[in-house]
Amino acid sequence: MRFGLPLTLCALFAVLLPVAASALTVKNLDPEDRKIIIKENDKKTERVLKPSEVMSDVCMAACEIETADGDTYDFDGNEYVTIEEGLLFIGEQENAAPK
């Protein structure tokens, strides 16, 4: 088992490497406050976003967001979402690195 120890060390190193956590971000692009309800697992959180407010780390995994008019949107937890005219849209982050 000449390769046993190096393979074990490589596997351990890969597990211990820091992983970039992704989480849902929501930005209100509307000129008025917008209320949303975040449903993640059994947790339900209500938030009011001011105009241009950005809410980071909304949910770390799959979640639902309900708007004030009762529409519900499903997300994976790693999207960048904007509120426009009371509706939610998946968009690109303004400060994202060019592709």
Side-chain angles (χ1 to χ4, degrees), residues 31-43:
E32 63 266 354
D33 294 357
R34 293 293 182 182
K35 181 177 98 171
I36 59 172
I37 299 170
I38 302 116
K39 300 173 188 175
E40 185 177 17
N41 300 323
D42 294 334
K43 186 179 173 185

Side-chain angles (χ1 to χ4, degrees), residues 42-73:
D42 294 334
K43 186 179 173 185
K44 192 174 182 179
T45 306
E46 188 174 306
R47 276 291 308 266
V48 176
L49 279 82
K50 303 279 183 201
S52 300
E53 182 178 356
V54 177
M55 183 179 170
S56 300
D57 299 334
V58 175
C59 54
M60 302 304 281
C63 66
E64 293 180 349
I65 296 182
E66 183 180 324
T67 59
D69 61 2
D71 289 339
T72 302
Y73 300 80

Side-chain angles (χ1 to χ4, degrees), residues 14-15 26 29 41 46 48-49 55 67 79 85 89-90:
V15 169
V26 179
L29 297 179
N41 300 323
E46 188 174 306
V48 176
L49 279 82
M55 183 179 170
T67 59
E79 296 92 348
E85 297 180 13
F89 294 93
I90 296 176

Side-chain angles (χ1 to χ4, degrees), residues 68-93:
D69 61 2
D71 289 339
T72 302
Y73 300 80
D74 295 319
F75 296 102
D76 294 330
N78 60 353
E79 296 92 348
Y80 182 82
V81 177
T82 57
I83 302 174
E84 302 173 48
E85 297 180 13
L87 302 173
L88 300 182
F89 294 93
I90 296 176
E92 291 191 24
Q93 210 161 354

Side-chain angles (χ1 to χ4, degrees), residues 8-19:
T8 303
L9 290 176
C10 287
L12 183 60
F13 182 71
V15 169
L16 296 177
L17 278 177
V19 177

